[in-house]
Amino acid sequence: MNTVQKNKKLTIDPGIFWSSLIAILAASIPLALYPEAGKAAVDGLLSSFTGTFGWLYLLTGIGSFFFMVWLAYGPLGRIKMGAPDEQPEFRTIPWISMLFCAGIGISICNWAFVEPLYLLSGPPLGIEGGTTEAAEWAAMYPMFHWGVVPWALYLMPALPMAYVLYVRKVNVLRLSEACRGILGNAVDGPIGKLIDVVVIFSIVGGVGTSLGLSVPLVSALFQEMFGLADSFGLQMGILTAWTAMIAWSVYNGLNKGIQTLSNINAALGFLLLFFVLIVGPTIFLLNLWTNSVGLFLDNFFRINFWTDPVAKGGFPESWTIFYWAWWIAYAPMMGLFVARISRGRTIKNIIVNGVVWGTLGCWAFFAIWGGYAIDLQLSGVVDLQAILSSDGIPATVVAILKTLPVAWLVIPLFTLLCFVFLATTVDSSAYMLASICTKELTGYEEPARWNRILWTLMLALVGVGLLSVGGLKAVQTSTILVALPMIPVLIIMSASLVRWAYRDFGAELSPYAIARCQVQGKTVVVQQYDDGKKVTLDDGKE
């Protein structure tokens, strides 16, 4: 923490803080008190939203991917988030580790094992379940759901926000400020407050989804290790322990807390990946992954635009649209977090590293853990689909782990990975929620500790509400509902970034520009041509 922050009182913005707090409590408390009525309500909303707006989620996903490609390899890719000579705040490996762990979290521990099993019995595109073709698509489709499009969605708000912080030097860590390029001074009024409340609700809904899915998994792991009976009390105890770990992390801030947990998390995750690759059917896993890459590339456009409008089998709504909504709901948190940790990096550096390494990290989990689950099912070692159908996701994950050598050691390590994985996501979210509610905050400061702890507790409360309702549909609906209003916000932010960049940099965005510097108090751009160099003032005069 720097000297400026020590001597500065970081006050909250009451309009954003209290509006968000009241909205979250109004949504969470009824779910916890009236679980049956809540479940009936969310079931009806789920089918309504996916059926009406599914096309919009899909177009937002593929549009974000092509926008990121254009930004990275177009003239804007050279823009640095900070001064021309500013070095990155974090080294590349810790930066990638924080980005990956915040964006994926424990969700991949749930889905890497079981999503291929679901798709094996219910494949897309009218393929018959349980066939050889279904197995190949079951191995590939999670690579689509956790690949380049999700990571492009994550970076949609990150780049405009980083531009606001480190290029325009605005002392506000709120997404509404990144819309100023299009909305102008309207962001200072009710429209800006509404955007920030929507962002907070989106973050809380996305993280609440992770909590609602993850606590039952860790509860099942504890039951296996200690012979405990499943109960709501056990789940609440696990949630309490999680909240304590997360509170410690956000209390200690970015460098001591969040970066430390992320580094531990990445090391432990890839240790378990390597273990399964070595002790499992290694050649089969490598062959299956190679085949999946080819299948993915061959069908990239078809699966990105597939809405199943005639047969209406429900696959896009249950899987792709839910995932795209989940990534969009998480995008504000990831955007703010990635922006905060990306000082000193160019737009191209952020996009290429974020999309490539984020995608490869996810693919590694599905290639190894997902491939191992498929092999167990196809070889008949364990009927995992029967366990999944009768006992659910947590029991299936435990059954898979028990087939590994030294399962008595693997299960505790996997449980620890789950704890740290979710902690790295939630602590990043609590940190960003506190930042949004702070009235004035530079990219070099951290929000007040009490503010960070409060939002950790609020996220835990949302988790309690979703756990009370129970079921996958409840968490799917919470995600899809909060993601929908974020789509226009993402579009406005992206347009603001492009408008600002061309307004601020002018001649430097020419393909001939090689440097921007100050000469006698004036900003000049140096351009390289075949017949020599030309120096141009920022207003275009030579």
Side-chain angles (χ1 to χ4, degrees):
M1 186 182 297
N2 58 34
T3 305
V4 173
Q5 186 175 350
K6 287 181 180 178
N7 299 327
K8 176 181 175 182
K9 186 177 181 181
L10 299 172
T11 57
I12 63 169
D13 185 310
I16 297 172
F17 181 82
W18 290 111
S19 298
S20 305
L21 210 60
I22 291 169
I24 291 164
L25 289 172
S28 302
I29 292 175
L31 285 179
L33 295 179
Y34 307 103
E36 293 300 325
K39 189 175 188 307
V42 297
D43 284 353
L45 288 170
L46 179 62
S47 58
S48 174
F49 268 71
T50 55
T52 305
F53 298 105
W55 60 272
L56 181 59
Y57 291 109
L58 294 180
L59 291 180
T60 302
I62 192 64
S64 68
F65 172 72
F66 286 116
F67 181 61
M68 287 300 119
V69 172
W70 177 77
L71 281 180
Y73 294 98
L76 275 65
R78 300 195 301 271
I79 296 175
K80 178 178 281 191
M81 301 306 181
D85 58 346
E86 192 162 10
Q87 296 300 309
E89 180 180 5
F90 297 97
R91 290 179 294 109
T92 299
I93 292 178
W95 178 76
I96 292 172
S97 175
M98 284 192 288
L99 182 147
F100 182 77
C101 294
I104 295 304
I106 191 179
S107 304
I108 207 164
C109 296
N110 258 307
W111 292 108
F113 284 119
V114 302
E115 184 174 341
L117 297 173
Y118 276 117
L119 302 184
L120 184 59
S121 58
L125 302 169
I127 298 167
E128 185 180 350
T131 61
T132 301
E133 186 181 11
E136 292 187 2
W137 282 84
M140 181 280 285
Y141 233 80
M143 293 171 55
F144 164 51
H145 288 153
W146 298 71
V148 293
V149 169
W151 287 99
L153 283 168
Y154 274 170
L155 295 178
M156 284 280 281
L159 297 170
M161 197 66 239
Y163 192 93
V164 166
L165 284 175
Y166 302 121
V167 178
R168 298 185 69 85
K169 306 293 184 183
V170 176
N171 296 340
V172 174
L173 197 62
R174 291 197 286 269
L175 292 190
S176 61
E177 190 63 34
C179 297
R180 190 179 292 275
I182 297 297
L183 299 181
N185 293 334
V187 301
D188 297 323
I191 291 178
K193 294 289 190 291
L194 178 63
I195 289 173
D196 291 320
V197 171
V198 167
V199 166
I200 289 175
F201 213 76
S202 178
I203 294 173
V204 172
V207 177
T209 299
S210 289
L211 283 165
L213 290 171
S214 305
V215 172
L217 171 62
V218 175
S219 175
L221 292 167
F222 267 74
Q223 293 167 49
E224 177 64 29
M225 288 188 294
F226 303 111
L228 301 174
D230 186 22
S231 67
F232 189 71
L234 174 61
Q235 294 185 1
M236 290 301 97
I238 291 169
L239 188 59
T240 301
W242 239 323
T243 304
M245 176 189 288
I246 295 162
W248 170 86
S249 176
V250 295
Y251 182 83
N252 284 284
L254 276 176
N255 285 289
K256 293 182 180 178
I258 295 173
Q259 184 179 188
T260 300
L261 281 183
S262 296
N263 290 339
I264 293 171
N265 196 26
L268 186 57
F270 285 102
L271 173 65
L272 287 173
L273 276 179
F274 183 73
F275 175 76
V276 175
L277 177 63
I278 297 303
V279 303
T282 308
I283 302 302
F284 173 78
L285 297 179
L286 294 174
N287 280 331
L288 187 63
W289 178 76
T290 304
N291 184 79
S292 296
V293 172
L295 199 59
F296 171 74
L297 295 174
D298 197 35
N299 293 274
F300 180 78
F301 288 100
R302 185 183 184 189
I303 58 181
N304 267 288
F305 290 96
W306 183 52
T307 59
D308 197 17
V310 179
K312 297 180 180 179
F315 185 95
E317 292 84 358
S318 299
W319 288 102
T320 308
I321 292 169
F322 162 60
Y323 270 128
W324 273 209
W326 197 356
W327 306 136
I328 292 169
Y330 257 115
M333 182 278 289
M334 278 299 291
L336 290 164
F337 185 70
V338 172
R340 175 59 187 83
I341 65 175
S342 297
R343 186 172 74 241
R345 298 182 180 275
T346 64
I347 287 179
K348 182 177 182 179
N349 180 276
I350 294 170
I351 293 173
V352 172
N353 278 290
V355 173
V356 170
W357 291 110
T359 297
L360 290 178
C362 291
W363 283 9
F365 278 91
F366 280 96
I368 297 172
W369 287 0
Y372 181 70
I374 290 175
D375 180 69
L376 289 176
Q377 180 66 40
L378 295 180
S379 62
V381 174
V382 183
D383 190 354
L384 295 174
Q385 288 179 310
I387 298 173
L388 185 60
S389 177
S390 61
D391 300 324
I393 294 174
T396 307
V397 174
V398 171
I400 294 170
L401 295 174
K402 288 169 69 175
T403 66
L404 292 166
V406 294
W408 58 269
L409 177 61
V410 171
I411 292 177
L413 287 176
F414 184 82
T415 305
L416 177 61
L417 176 66
C418 291
F419 255 92
V420 182
F421 238 141
L422 186 65
T424 54
T425 298
V426 179
D427 60 12
S428 306
S429 304
Y431 184 95
M432 288 301 109
L433 288 166
S435 300
I436 296 170
C437 294
T438 303
K439 185 171 288 186
E440 185 176 329
L441 191 72
T442 74
Y444 300 81
E445 298 173 324
E446 296 189 344
R449 281 174 165 167
W450 70 265
N451 199 357
R452 294 179 242 163
I453 299 296
L454 174 65
W455 283 107
T456 302
L457 298 176
M458 290 304 301
L459 290 171
L461 178 62
V462 173
V464 172
L466 289 171
L467 286 168
S468 300
V469 174
L472 183 58
K473 280 191 176 180
V475 294
Q476 284 180 319
T477 304
S478 71
T479 302
I480 289 171
L481 288 177
V482 298
L484 187 62
M486 272 308 305
I487 293 175
V489 175
L490 293 178
I491 295 171
I492 293 171
M493 291 176 64
S494 301
S496 292
L497 171 65
V498 175
R499 187 175 186 180
W500 274 330
Y502 279 102
R503 180 191 299 168
D504 295 343
F505 286 85
E508 189 177 353
L509 296 180
S510 158
Y512 302 103
I514 59 173
R516 175 187 175 103
C517 55
Q518 294 284 327
V519 177
Q520 296 180 351
K522 294 183 178 180
T523 302
V524 300
V525 176
V526 180
Q527 295 176 286
Q528 179 72 60
Y529 292 87
D530 293 339
D531 57 353
K533 294 181 180 178
K534 180 174 71 175
V535 176
T536 307
L537 290 175
D538 217 15
D539 59 7
K541 297 179 181 179
E542 293 187 21

